[in-house]
């Protein structure tokens, strides 16, 4: 309102460079950063899907290669439950190793990306930070996802 009132008086230019008032929590580049984080979220989901497909493929290959061993286990008295436990533990171990390595590398990579964008676009020095809920969700998903992805291969191993 002040700017329009002063604009009507053509001879006065003393307050022509007034700062732009923004709503609380709004800042320049917020919309662009939101779009970029959406893109990173899509890439994350695609990486997760690829990892689960790779785990399922690895377990299917493992079961296919160990058909003779599974048959020998059954011949000496192993039950379906015993075979299921062996392969579930293998999938859980793969998931645990992947989750721990992925969480550590994710923390380092996320901080490197944040530091780059903070200095390149906002001219600030971003400190090192860890989002505990994201790390916990990543580790839980890394422990739950691989055994679920391996279920078709495990069912196949039980039927041998």
């Amino acid at each position: 309102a002040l700017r329009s009132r002063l604009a009507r008086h053509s001879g006065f230019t003393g307050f022509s460079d007034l700062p732009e008032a923004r709503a609380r929590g709004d800042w320049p580049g917020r919309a662009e950063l939101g779009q970029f984080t959406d893109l990173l979220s899509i890439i994350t989901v695609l990486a997760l899907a690829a990892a689960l497909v790779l785990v399922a493929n690895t377990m299917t290959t493992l079961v296919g290669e160990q058909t003779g061993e599974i048959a020998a286990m059954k011949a000496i008295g192993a039950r379906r439950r015993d075979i299921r436990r062996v392969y579930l533990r293998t999938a859980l171990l793969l998931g645990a190793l992947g989750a721990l390595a992925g969480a550590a590398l994710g923390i380092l990579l996320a901080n490197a990306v944040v530091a780059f964008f903070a200095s390149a676009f906002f001219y600030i020095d971003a400190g090192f930070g860890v989002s505990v809920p994201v790390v916990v969700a990543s580790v839980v998903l890394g422990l739950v996802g691989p055994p679920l992805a391996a279920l078709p291969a495990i069912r196949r191993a039980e039927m041998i």
Side-chain angles (χ1 to χ4, degrees), residues 37-53 141:
T37 56
D38 291 344
L39 175 67
L40 290 179
S41 297
I42 291 169
I43 290 171
T44 302
V45 169
L46 290 175
L48 175 65
L52 291 177
V53 167
L141 195 58

Side-chain angles (χ1 to χ4, degrees), residues 20-116:
E20 184 177 334
R22 296 181 181 268
R24 184 180 189 114
D26 193 17
W27 38 273
R30 183 175 182 184
E32 292 81 10
L33 187 64
Q35 291 173 349
F36 185 69
T37 56
D38 291 344
L39 175 67
L40 290 179
S41 297
I42 291 169
I43 290 171
T44 302
V45 169
L46 290 175
L48 175 65
L52 291 177
V53 167
L54 288 173
V55 167
N57 188 31
T58 300
M59 292 302 292
T60 301
T61 303
L62 187 65
V63 167
E65 290 178 354
Q66 294 181 350
T67 303
E69 288 85 353
I70 294 169
M73 288 169 52
K74 282 193 171 186
I76 60 172
R79 295 172 295 207
R80 287 182 177 188
R81 181 177 56 203
D82 299 327
I83 295 169
R84 184 181 324 124
R85 282 184 187 155
V86 168
Y87 288 101
L88 276 176
R89 284 183 189 147
T90 303
L92 191 60
L93 180 63
L94 286 172
L97 292 174
L100 293 177
L105 290 174
I107 289 169
L108 295 175
L109 182 64
N111 279 289
V113 169
V114 166
F116 170 74

Side-chain angles (χ1 to χ4, degrees), residues 131-146:
S131 174
V132 175
V134 171
V135 172
V136 169
S138 299
V139 171
V140 168
L141 195 58
L143 292 174
V144 172

